[in-house]
């Protein structure tokens, strides 16, 4: 009863920040993202009735700090009476550093575990289980450009453009590979409780989602750039105005934003977005990615640059 699955991280263009129901981990707002192809997490889940405890290995080391969240996710998916599991996770990028490693990890986990248990669950159901563990993980079940709707009691998730419909590129400038000091779950609750801007963030999200959906339907890059940068800066304003404040940026984050502004002034179709970490993701049209990558690589404080196209949703690699 073993299965291997792969999922890629996704990057939100209209951000998710805040929880409607912290216990069920339901998001307070919808979001819109792109699923990547160059970064991946491969997850092997082996269910064994003789095992007494779950075990987790992350990139060759014991993943004890993540194990409770992983075990809870398996309990919800397979029931508390499930066999215990040996879980092995490998990623080709730094984990917990604002590169959406929890998204690819939980998306791959639910796909591998349901296959190992021979459950046939549709993609949306698996996305809901992944989302209960990490809100953004629900989006990594789907390919291309993905919209998550935050309904009252459940989430809905679907791909709104396939990879070839609009082959955007994402150039990721990695500025610091250390795990973040404050997890996004804790930071979101803090923003909801203390940021004076939280209510207006919630109120305006539907308008941002409409604008982004329309930009995708019309392949209007400038319109997508405008709403995505605005959403990113609003989310970081919530973090900065929380008490105590949450600041994920470093000097290189600002330097990369200036680099993107200079590229825009030179006419390149590119915009930035930043998540719960210092890395800057520059989204561009395919013809611009080489120039964007070259200039970001030469920006002060940038350690590595990775370029990715859009990719597939989580899927089974192998089952035994
Ligand atoms: O899925 P979580 O709980 O790690 O939250 C991630 C939130 C952001 O990455 C900052 C924004 C988003 O929409 O992905």
């Amino acid at each position: 009863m073993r299965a291997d699955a792969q999922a890629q991280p996704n990057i939100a263009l209209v951000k998710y920040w805040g929880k409607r129901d912290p216990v069920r981990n339901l998001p307070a707002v919808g979001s819109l993202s792109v699923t990547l192809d160059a970064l991946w997490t491969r997850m092997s889940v082996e269910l064994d009735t003789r095992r007494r405890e779950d075990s987790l290995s992350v990139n060759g080391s014991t993943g004890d700090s993540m194990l409770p969240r992983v075990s809870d996710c398996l309990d919800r998916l397979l029931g508390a009476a499930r066999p215990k599991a040996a879980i092995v996770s490998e990623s080709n990028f730094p984990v917990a550093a604002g590169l959406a490693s929890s998204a690819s990890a939980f998306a791959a986990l639910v796909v591998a575990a349901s296959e190992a248990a021979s459950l046939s669950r549709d993609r949306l159901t698996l996305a809901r289980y992944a989302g209960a563990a990490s809100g953004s993980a629900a989006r990594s079940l789907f390919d291309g450009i993905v919209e998550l709707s935050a309904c009252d009691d459940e989430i809905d998730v679907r791909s709104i453009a396939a990879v070839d419909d609009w082959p955007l590129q994402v150039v990721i400038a990695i500025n610091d590979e250390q795990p973040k000091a404050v997890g996004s779950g804790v930071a979101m609750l803090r923003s909801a409780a203390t940021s004076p801007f939280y209510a207006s963030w919630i109120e305006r999200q539907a308008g941002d989602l409409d604008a982004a959906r329309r930009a995708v339907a019309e392949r209007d890059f400038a319109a997508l750039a405008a709403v995505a940068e605005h959403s990113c800066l609003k989310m970081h304003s919530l973090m900065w105005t929380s008490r105590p404040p949450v600041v994920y940026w470093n000097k290189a984050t600002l330097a990369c934003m200036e680099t993107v502004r200079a590229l825009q002034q030179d006419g390149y179709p590119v915009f930035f977005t930043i998540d719960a970490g210092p890395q800057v993701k520059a989204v561009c049209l395919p013809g611009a990615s080489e120039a964007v990558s070259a200039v970001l690589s030469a920006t002060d404080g940038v350690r590595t640059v990775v370029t990715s196209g859009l990719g597939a949703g989580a899927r089974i690699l192998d089952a035994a």
Side-chain angles (χ1 to χ4, degrees):
M1 295 194 353
R2 201 203 79 220
D4 297 350
Q6 174 171 322
Q8 287 95 244
N10 68 79
I11 305 296
L13 306 185
V14 178
K15 301 295 189 189
Y16 146 55
W17 196 252
K19 297 178 195 290
R20 177 190 305 269
D21 178 344
V23 175
R24 294 183 59 206
N25 204 38
L26 288 174
V29 288
S31 53
L32 188 143
S33 62
V34 289
T35 302
L36 303 181
D37 71 346
L39 309 183
W40 47 256
T41 299
R42 294 186 183 139
M43 189 74 75
S44 164
V45 176
E46 176 151 36
L47 297 170
D48 184 346
T49 47
R50 291 162 308 176
R51 267 190 166 270
R52 298 169 69 89
E53 298 296 340
D54 293 330
S55 72
L56 172 65
S57 152
V58 178
N59 291 338
S61 306
T62 55
D64 289 347
S65 61
M66 278 293 283
L67 185 58
R69 267 175 88 191
V70 166
S71 295
D72 285 351
C73 178
L74 294 180
D75 286 350
R76 278 190 298 269
L77 180 70
L78 307 178
R82 66 178 170 86
K84 298 295 181 201
I87 304 134
V88 178
S89 168
E90 302 279 345
S91 295
N92 68 343
F93 63 98
V95 298
L99 285 167
S101 56
S102 66
S104 50
F106 284 106
L109 179 72
V110 295
V111 170
S114 71
E115 180 76 13
S118 306
L119 296 178
S120 49
R121 293 258 162 89
D122 61 52
R123 205 161 267 279
L124 176 59
T125 304
L126 289 174
R128 287 174 174 159
Y129 281 107
S134 164
S136 58
R139 302 184 308 235
S140 276
L141 268 291
F142 294 85
D143 64 300
I145 305 180
V146 177
E147 181 170 3
L148 182 152
S149 310
C151 313
D152 279 350
D153 210 35
E154 283 290 5
I155 52 166
D156 267 316
V157 199
R158 67 195 173 101
S159 174
I160 60 166
V163 173
D164 295 335
D165 288 344
W166 204 15
L168 300 173
Q169 296 273 304
V170 184
V171 181
I172 304 169
I174 300 177
N175 304 327
D176 185 354
E177 304 184 354
Q178 296 309 307
K180 55 193 156 212
V182 186
S184 52
V186 170
M188 282 181 203
L189 297 181
R190 193 184 294 173
S191 295
T194 62
S195 171
F197 304 140
Y198 188 75
S200 98
W201 159 257
I202 302 287
E203 220 172 86
R204 286 158 187 263
Q205 187 78 346
D208 286 358
L209 283 166
D210 286 346
R213 204 181 307 111
R214 203 173 324 118
V216 171
E218 294 169 3
R219 312 284 186 269
D220 182 342
F221 189 82
L224 186 62
V227 69
E229 288 191 352
H230 183 60
S231 175
C232 165
L233 293 172
K234 275 199 293 189
M235 179 184 77
H236 285 275
S237 304
L238 291 175
M239 298 169 179
W240 285 46
T241 51
S242 297
R243 290 187 162 179
V246 181
V247 177
Y248 289 113
W249 298 1
N250 61 21
K251 275 204 276 193
T253 311
L254 278 164
C256 289
M257 290 162 78
E258 279 174 25
T259 295
V260 172
R261 283 278 176 264
L263 282 161
Q264 289 170 335
Q265 268 146 27
D266 289 345
Y268 286 98
V270 58
F271 63 85
F272 63 77
T273 190
I274 306 154
D275 293 295
Q279 334 305 349
V280 174
K281 292 103 183 190
V283 181
C284 58
L285 290 175
S289 68
E290 258 179 51
V292 171
S293 164
V295 193
L296 278 174
S297 300
T299 299
D300 265 359
V302 173
R303 299 162 67 92
T304 330
V305 170
V306 180
T307 300
S308 177
L310 305 195
R315 63 211 169 273
I316 290 295
L317 293 176
D318 192 19

